[in-house]
Every structure is written in C-alpha cells, then in structure tokens.
Amino acid sequence: MFANGSEEGYQEVLEGIRRKTLVYGEETLMVEFLLNGGARLPLHSHPHEQTGYLVKGRMRLTIGGKTRELLPGDSWCVAKWEEHGAEVVEDSVAVEVFSPVREDYLP
C-alpha cells in the first residue's frame, strides 16, 4: 500500500485533536495526529499496542501513571490496555502505529 501526502482526510476526534489514517496492513495501522496547543487527550486504554514519534511541537504524555515531557524526535510505546493520556503544550504533530489494526480508524 502507498499513500500520497495530502492536507485532506483529517477527522476531529476531540477538540483540538485531528487524526488521519495514513496506511495500514494486516497487522499494523499508521496514523498522523495534528494536535493544537492546550488540547487534552483524557486517560484511556485499548486492546492495541501503540508506538509513537513526535515530529514537531511539545506535549506531556502519561503512560501507566508516569508523565514525561516530549520534544521533537522523542518516541514512546504503550502496551495494550495500559492507561495513557496527553496534554498538548504547543501545536504538535505525532505519528503513531497501532497493532493490531484499529478497525475504528480504517478509512
């Protein structure tokens, strides 16, 4: 599967948080998130392992009760069912991969 970059196709999932599924296969799905400064992603969990990379911006990410401030180039991994959430400090872009594929994120 190939996908060309585009400004279209983003969905607002929470106030100040938009996502776009980039590509997916049988086992993984990759998503780009555009995050506005001040946005909050409440603590939640799901049955997917989630790895991420902060492309630009700054945010505080909480995973399993531990909070870290992330800067561009930082990455993370969230185990399935592990509680996590985020506070976006400044406008940010993050890319995350989910396994297994999140059916609710398929286009």
Side-chain angles (χ1 to χ4, degrees):
M1 170 182 253
F2 293 97
N4 294 326
S6 168
E7 297 295 318
E8 298 176 10
Y10 292 92
Q11 297 176 311
E12 186 166 34
V13 292
L14 292 169
E15 185 175 342
I17 299 176
R18 295 181 292 150
R19 76 162 189 257
K20 177 168 81 169
T21 296
L22 301 173
V23 292
Y24 56 92
E26 290 183 32
E27 303 292 330
T28 60
L29 175 136
M30 186 165 63
V31 178
E32 182 179 52
F33 288 91
L34 304 181
L35 309 140
N36 294 345
R40 290 181 179 268
L41 179 64
L43 290 172
H44 66 286
S45 65
H46 44 71
H48 309 86
E49 185 174 71
Q50 171 181 347
T51 57
Y53 177 81
L54 189 63
V55 177
K56 76 173 209 174
R58 189 166 59 120
M59 57 189 245
R60 287 185 200 93
L61 181 62
T62 300
I63 301 172
K66 296 179 182 177
T67 302
R68 297 285 276 284
E69 185 154 316
L70 302 175
L71 299 171
D74 291 345
S75 54
W76 56 91
C77 184
V78 181
K80 62 182 180 176
W81 295 117
E82 189 167 34
E83 193 171 61
H84 58 288
E87 175 187 350
V88 184
V89 177
E90 61 186 49
D91 289 355
S92 299
V93 175
V95 174
E96 294 190 298
V97 175
F98 296 86
S99 179
V101 170
R102 285 195 64 149
E103 300 288 331
D104 56 331
Y105 281 17
L106 289 174

